Amino acid sequence: MKNSWIHRAGFAGVAAATAVVVAAAPAGAHVSVTGPDAARGGSAVLTFRVPNESGTGSATTMLTVQFPGLTEVNTQAMPGWRAEVTRDGAHKVTGVTWTADAGGGIGPGQFGSFAVLADGLPDTDSITLPATQTYADGQIVKWDQTSSGDSEPENPAPVLKLAPKQSGTAAGHGDVKAAMPDNQSDKDTTARWLGGIGIVLGALGLLGGLGMGLARRKS
């Protein structure tokens, strides 16, 4: 992975904060995704929020999220859950499935947070990540619908907006003059001119001294 290892320290903090967060889920909630540092073509920690909306009091015991062929995905270690990464023939990541241990899961009135460290995000304005939520009683809810117009569908797919691609040129590795303040650049230019003039004057003085020494010897 190229840039993903830069996020390891941040990923550790997110893992501690999001390891199966349990709290009351707001009414009308649905599976959603966040990634504050996600940029086009880069790496980021993506966190999926999964509320339990079962009308029968059944626990959520499985979550599957589809990915559009990412370079790599590292799953957060979560007690009580096991994760399985799915890949295509080119070894690109196409999905992750989380399954709760026997007797576990996300209970009614609760939600869980599932985080991954994703590398090789697409070079697009946004990314759609369809999800499938499975309950212990066999109910399956697919969060895969896309918005049309101003109305939101009943089961919208998680969508993540991506920031513009980060420039590979940083100060100190590109044009040094461009990275400097204008006044600093002007000072450096003046210093170079003065230094050059000093060298020329020094050389003329040396030549003049040698000429005077030769004239005295001849006389």
Side-chain angles (χ1 to χ4, degrees):
M1 298 173 68
K2 297 179 180 178
N3 299 323
S4 62
W5 310 116
I6 299 175
H7 301 282
R8 279 192 176 276
F11 181 64
V14 172
T18 61
V20 194
V21 178
V22 177
H30 51 76
V31 175
S32 60
V33 60
T34 58
D37 58 345
R40 298 170 59 158
S43 305
V45 174
L46 310 183
T47 303
F48 296 89
R49 187 189 68 174
V50 183
N52 184 317
E53 296 182 300
S54 172
T56 62
S58 182
T60 293
T61 56
M62 183 182 296
L63 173 71
T64 298
V65 177
Q66 299 177 34
F67 292 93
L70 302 185
T71 303
E72 187 58 88
V73 167
N74 291 340
T75 59
Q76 170 190 323
M78 297 177 59
W81 293 80
R82 59 186 182 276
E84 181 180 359
V85 178
T86 304
R87 304 175 187 273
D88 60 15
H91 204 65
K92 298 289 187 178
V93 176
T94 58
V96 175
T97 297
W98 289 269
T99 305
D101 294 342
I106 305 169
Q110 301 176 339
F111 74 91
S113 293
F114 301 78
V116 300
L117 179 59
D119 182 58
L121 296 173
D123 188 6
T124 56
D125 292 333
S126 63
I127 176 175
T128 300
L129 304 165
T132 300
Q133 182 177 10
T134 303
Y135 290 87
D137 61 2
Q139 179 187 7
I140 297 176
V141 180
K142 292 184 176 295
W143 302 95
D144 57 0
Q145 298 175 349
T146 56
S147 300
S148 57
D150 298 331
S151 61
E152 183 178 73
E154 182 178 357
N155 296 322
V159 176
L160 179 67
K161 292 184 178 180
L162 301 179
K165 182 180 294 186
Q166 298 177 357
S167 173
T169 302
H173 297 281
D175 186 349
V176 176
K177 183 176 179 180
M180 292 181 180
D182 291 340
N183 58 348
Q184 182 64 41
S185 179
D186 293 341
K187 289 179 181 178
D188 289 347
T189 301
T190 302
R192 292 191 187 98
W193 275 103
L194 292 176
I197 293 173
I199 293 173
V200 173
L201 292 176
L204 292 175
L206 179 61
L207 292 174
L210 291 173
M212 292 177 63
L214 290 175
R216 288 175 181 174
R217 290 181 181 180
K218 289 181 180 180
S219 62

